[in-house]
């Protein structure tokens, strides 16, 4: 379904639902028009990552020895314990370097049409490849990353198995491909998917009331689809400048800094909400710590709606029903091939 | 068994074994006189940590939000993927502060008679409690740590369950007690324990040959007991100054800096070797990256023995047979109660 058509369907559902207190069947029908369950496979190009590739990517995701001071891995800013985030407003990388924006979760990141807040990472593979040699997250160039991995004897056979046709399989591109293939397995189906499949009682009555408020308030204009977001760009602060409400310390021009197009001023990728209750703080700069506050701010600056506490709490109850279980291969850290960080004496 | 008696038994076994090529039964008998299998329970004071206490400790072990910049948890220097270490010569804590010594693994740390290289941590509980407010590992005082935890609503009921008789259960002492109770579960029984139980073929012929060399060379004078070390202090560099062989960048006076006793100059807690093959680099300063080099250096400076490559490789084969599986509750990161790091905006 094209984006424009999906929006049109969403708007139609919005109109239908404007009478308060839809019955269960009506609400489910509306929801099914707006959201989709998480698919079982979101492999790149429709080709499931082979087992060796995903396994290698899993090891590399947890591998800190490739970064300049040997302390930062993907799992540093995307910790399993914190649902693939770091709970910081903005992350801290190697040598105490501060990231400019909040680390969004890797869970379901492969569902997003682009990655990073400004959409300047095309895919999870692109994100991983760029992070591998970025000054904040790594501090190393490709040669140094590869050199570190070549000094850990256990990796050579793993790369050979994952990339059997490559004569020199350890490169930034293969590392990014492997990590991306692993990230594509990090999906969190939940009670909400059971609900969409027709099990109305998979969500509590309060969560269903919250779902109805979430639809009727207009949140679904952007937070819809399989990820409840993550499939379009939108300006943050349609009716008011966002920073006047979030208390942000600085003003981020958003996608305009990437495209140099004034039309993209304060435009960001819409965040997916699948695990939002587990991933505070909120927004591109992590400026808001509590989920009810974030909900009220969004309603106000995006939709011009002043939500009262009762309505906010219902929406929060809905959002709290969305997180799934941590994927086993994510929560469960693999034992890495042994080897000291070279040159750290 | 007292320490002196254990040493006497070890020395007796050493004398018996001096004829090369002991048969399997003789070698097993020797080994049983020198080593013990990992017990199923090493709870503090013989009282198993209750389930709520261990569960809370597990969460707190993975909790980075209590340290000053919100980035460092116990699992930072003691990563599951790296067998409870960080693969660095010496660890890096908050705000890029460098630890003076190598982080030894938390696996089987509760088996050790004291903790840290200089023995200045009485127990795993003492280590955790002190780390909680130390400048390098935390950068916070007790009040700030407690404040961070109190801002994460999910923790209050967990502390109440673990410490039902405490009116104000969130303190440095209770946090240390909980983390310690969790660490006491981090035991790694392995093929070597099956061997000690009588299954001779649990170790390969090469590993058994290495065990015999390990005994006959005299390594067992210090690396013996349940942890193959971790139950005494010894001077590092009995026959030669250690730093002339390790290439250490600086000279560490060891326990003498703690006790102010010249007899403790260059004295360290003997490292346990249970997972040594998985935890490079080696020694108190991580100055040696490769296990064969570490074995040769120890033989030379402690025992005056020049090991050839073949003997070294056999000993390494024995040491490589020692690691156990990562404990499930250690490898498997728990989902932490959600909450942003306060004041990190």
């Amino acid at each position: 379904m094209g984006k424009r058509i999906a929006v049109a369907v969403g708007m139609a559902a919005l109109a239908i639902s404007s009478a308060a207190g839809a019955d269960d069947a009506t609400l489910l029908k509306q929801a099914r028009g707006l959201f989709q369950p998480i698919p079982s496979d979101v492999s790149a190009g429709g080709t499931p990552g082979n087992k060796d590739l995903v396994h290698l990517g899993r090891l590399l995701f947890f591998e800190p020895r490739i970064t300049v001071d040997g302390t930062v891995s993907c799992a540093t800013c995307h910790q399993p314990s914190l649902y693939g985030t770091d709970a910081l407003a903005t992350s801290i990388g190697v040598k105490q370097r501060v990231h400019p924006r909040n680390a969004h979760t890797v869970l379901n990141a492969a569902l997003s049409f682009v990655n990073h807040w400004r959409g300047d990472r095309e895919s999870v593979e692109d994100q991983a490849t760029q992070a591998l040699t970025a000054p904040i997250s790594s501090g190393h160039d490709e040669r140094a990353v590869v050199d570190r991995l070549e000094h850990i004897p256990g990796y050579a056979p793993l790369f050979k198995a994952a990339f059997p046709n490559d004569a020199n399989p350890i490169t930034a591109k293969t590392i990014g491909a492997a990590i991306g293939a692993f990230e594509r397995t990090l999906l969190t189906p939940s009670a909400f998917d059971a609900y969409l499949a027709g099990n109305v009682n998979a969500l509590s009555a309060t969560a269903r009331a919250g779902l109805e408020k979430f639809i009727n308030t207009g949140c679904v204009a952007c937070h819809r689809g399989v990820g409840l977001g993550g499939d379009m760009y939108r300006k943050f602060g349609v009716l008011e400048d966002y920073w006047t409400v979030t208390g942000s310390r600085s003003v981020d021009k958003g996608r305009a800094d990437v495209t140099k197009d004034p039309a993209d001023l304060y435009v960001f990728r819409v965040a997916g909400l699948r695990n939002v209750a587990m991933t505070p703080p909120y927004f591109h700069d992590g400026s808001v710590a509590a989920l009810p506050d974030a909900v009220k701010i969004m309603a106000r600056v995006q939709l011009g709606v002043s939500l009262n506490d009762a309505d906010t709490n219902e929406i929060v109850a809905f959002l709290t029903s969305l997180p799934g279980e941590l994927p086993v291969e994510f929560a469960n850290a693999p034992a890495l091939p042994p080897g000291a960080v070279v040159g750290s004496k």
Side-chain angles (χ1 to χ4, degrees), chain A:
Chain A
M1 198 189 297
K3 272 167 212 158
R4 280 160 206 278
I5 297 170
V7 170
V9 171
M11 291 302 171
L14 197 66
I16 294 163
S17 73
S18 55
D23 64 43
D24 283 341
T26 306
L27 182 63
L28 177 59
K29 195 176 169 190
Q30 281 184 278
R32 282 175 165 172
L34 291 162
F35 310 108
Q36 292 86 47
I38 292 184
S40 58
D41 182 42
V42 289
S43 304
T47 313
N50 76 63
K51 214 177 149 184
D52 290 324
L53 183 69
V54 172
H55 175 64
L56 174 62
R58 181 167 164 245
L59 299 183
L60 293 170
F61 184 90
F62 287 93
E63 183 53 81
R65 289 170 288 183
I66 50 181
T67 53
V68 66
D69 53 19
T71 61
V72 172
S73 70
C74 305
T76 300
C77 300
H78 304 290
Q79 296 180 40
S81 280
L82 295 166
Y83 261 70
T85 71
D86 55 13
L88 297 170
T90 63
S91 301
I92 300 176
V94 295
K95 298 183 176 289
Q96 206 72 11
R97 294 173 190 162
V98 180
H99 278 268
R101 288 169 204 87
N102 178 268
H104 65 70
T105 179
V106 287
L107 296 172
N108 309 308
L111 298 176
S112 191
F113 80 126
V114 289
N115 271 265
H116 273 204
W117 287 96
R118 305 184 301 175
D120 50 351
R121 301 293 184 272
E122 286 180 16
S123 62
V124 287
E125 285 81 5
D126 180 39
Q127 193 279 329
T129 305
Q130 290 203 46
L132 204 61
T133 56
I136 296 171
S137 49
S138 167
H140 258 167
D141 61 16
E142 180 175 12
R143 185 60 248 161
V145 170
V146 171
D147 189 60
R148 286 279 180 88
L149 286 175
E150 288 177 344
H151 272 87
I152 302 169
Y155 271 114
L158 297 167
F159 273 89
K160 196 175 168 59
F163 300 98
N165 302 320
D166 291 19
N168 295 300
I170 309 185
T171 67
K173 197 178 167 193
T174 57
I175 295 166
I179 293 172
F182 170 61
E183 289 191 34
R184 286 177 187 279
T185 70
L186 304 182
L187 305 175
T188 62
S190 72
F192 185 58
D193 300 272
Y195 173 83
L196 291 176
N199 177 7
V200 168
N201 293 313
L203 297 189
S204 70
T206 313
R208 294 200 302 273
L211 166 60
E212 196 177 347
K213 289 254 158 60
F214 187 78
I215 294 171
N216 292 351
T217 303
C219 311
V220 289
C222 299
H223 295 287
R224 56 175 182 65
V226 60
L228 289 88
D231 66 355
M232 66 176 82
Y233 295 113
R234 277 294 178 274
K235 182 179 174 184
F236 183 21
V238 174
L239 297 148
E240 292 177 74
D241 291 332
Y242 74 81
W243 57 90
T244 64
V245 187
T246 57
S248 296
R249 288 191 176 173
S250 61
V251 175
D252 189 325
K253 291 182 182 166
R255 194 159 163 72
D257 279 333
V258 177
T259 64
K260 310 300 176 198
D261 181 347
D264 286 332
L265 208 55
Y266 318 129
V267 165
F268 297 89
R269 182 193 62 107
V270 173
L273 303 184
R274 278 279 179 175
N275 292 289
V276 68
M278 300 302 287
T279 62
Y282 300 106
F283 304 136
H284 64 277
D285 56 4
S287 52
V288 174
L291 186 53
D293 294 339
V295 168
K296 283 183 176 177
I297 288 169
M298 285 306 279
R300 175 174 160 183
V301 306
Q302 300 300 101
L303 300 161
V305 172
S306 179
L307 285 177
N308 63 31
D309 287 347
D311 289 348
T312 304
N313 290 343
E314 281 186 350
I315 291 176
V316 167
F318 167 61
L319 296 176
T320 304
S321 75
L322 293 174
E325 296 284 314
L326 289 175
V328 171
E329 302 289 277
F330 180 56
N332 203 349
L336 299 176
V341 175
V342 176
S344 76
K345 191 194 289 184

